[in-house]
Amino acid sequence: ELKVEQNPLFLSMQEGKNYTIYCNYSTTSDRLYWYRQDPGKSLESLFVLLSNGAVKQEGRLMASLDTKARLSTLHITAAVHDLSATYFCAVDELRSGSRLTFGEGTQLTVNP
Amino acid sequence: NAGVMQNPRHLVRRRGQEARLRCSPMKGHSHVYWYRQLPEEGLKFMVYLQKENIIDESGMPKERFSAEFPKEGPSILRIQQVVRGDSAAYFCASSPNGGAPWEQYFGPGTRLTVT
């Protein structure tokens, strides 16, 4: 069974600081996705990583994928309050018919 | 182009009642996925359907839960004889084809509360 683990699960940081969220998964896959969820809302797609070594950046967020290590990172640079949300990574198991397996989520709070 | 629509957005049911959750995929999308999110947890896959076919129901509880996606109309997730543990947010996602998860678009969710 595919397992996807995120760490940390809770992250409280100050504005202006940098931090990294880690996503480990247990099976061979080269397709990983990052989503943002605000309280009571649906999921917003942030990044789609489709190959080993993929790196994507959008604003203060940068995501990377290392398929050999089965690890993805979401790096936050100079955090601002608007980034407060829960962040999920999800893995697409190649033989699954494209269902997604999600991590538990990282609840990020950025304090002024 | 309207996005994925789900209704109702909030649903309250007493224990033992039935809950029906509806998902209208984006225009041109014929694949629907249902996920459940328990409080403070990630989303868990439940079922994957194409029009008139269940493709993968490996995440569905064995009893009380069923799903359909008829030729016409929305996909329906049906929960019979609800229990408190069914309280969760239920999200559907749609895609134009089944091989591209990066084309899955999520609906706003239905938040089910069982009292």
Side-chain angles (χ1 to χ4, degrees):
Chain A
E1 181 190 336
L2 170 59
K3 289 193 187 311
V4 181
E5 293 182 342
Q6 287 182 238
N7 118 63
L9 299 184
F10 298 93
L11 177 55
S12 180
M13 54 192 298
Q14 282 188 310
E15 281 191 328
K17 299 291 188 186
N18 305 333
Y19 210 86
T20 300
I21 299 170
Y22 298 89
C23 175
N24 291 274
Y25 55 96
S26 64
T27 194
T28 303
S29 176
D30 56 3
R31 310 202 295 204
L32 190 135
Y33 313 85
W34 284 97
Y35 294 88
R36 169 183 171 143
Q37 185 180 39
D38 291 293
K41 305 288 188 186
S42 188
L43 275 73
E44 174 192 352
S45 177
L46 293 176
F47 299 108
V48 176
L49 304 168
L50 297 178
S51 61
N52 185 39
V55 177
K56 292 205 174 169
Q57 181 161 8
E58 181 72 35
R60 300 172 188 275
L61 301 177
M62 183 172 73
S64 65
L65 178 61
D66 180 345
T67 59
K68 291 185 172 57
R70 299 180 184 174
L71 170 69
S72 179
T73 60
L74 180 66
H75 186 72
I76 304 154
T77 302
V80 293
H81 180 68
D82 284 354
L83 290 179
S84 297
T86 299
Y87 293 83
F88 292 96
C89 63
V91 175
D92 157 31
E93 194 172 3
L94 296 180
R95 290 168 293 180
S96 72
S98 68
R99 72 169 185 253
L100 295 170
T101 300
F102 284 81
E104 313 98 310
T106 296
Q107 191 174 316
L108 171 66
T109 304
V110 181
N111 302 304
Chain B
N1 186 11
V4 179
M5 314 265 287
Q6 288 187 250
N7 71 80
R9 296 290 306 277
H10 299 274
L11 182 60
V12 179
R13 285 286 179 266
R14 292 203 185 101
R15 276 178 297 171
Q17 292 185 318
E18 178 179 287
R20 280 189 184 231
L21 288 60
R22 293 175 185 77
C23 170
S24 297
M26 286 180 71
K27 190 176 179 182
H29 288 194
S30 59
H31 298 248
V32 165
Y33 304 78
W34 284 93
Y35 295 86
R36 176 165 66 173
Q37 184 179 31
L38 294 170
E40 309 297 329
E41 293 188 13
L43 278 71
K44 298 275 193 299
F45 168 79
M46 298 181 76
V47 63
Y48 162 35
L49 310 105
Q50 292 178 33
K51 289 270 186 187
E52 300 184 281
N53 281 309
I54 296 175
I55 306 303
D56 179 357
E57 57 182 345
S58 59
M60 287 279 267
K62 294 283 184 280
E63 295 175 349
R64 302 187 298 108
F65 285 72
S66 62
E68 62 176 10
F69 189 14
K71 188 176 178 182
E72 302 290 337
S75 175
I76 308 267
L77 179 68
R78 184 178 174 215
I79 311 171
Q80 294 179 291
Q81 298 175 318
V82 295
V83 300
R84 287 232 171 96
D86 297 332
S87 295
Y90 293 82
F91 292 94
C92 79
S94 74
S95 72
N97 63 69
W102 55 88
E103 291 181 315
Q104 283 185 33
Y105 295 87
F106 282 84
T110 294
R111 277 144 187 91
L112 172 65
T113 302
V114 179
T115 61

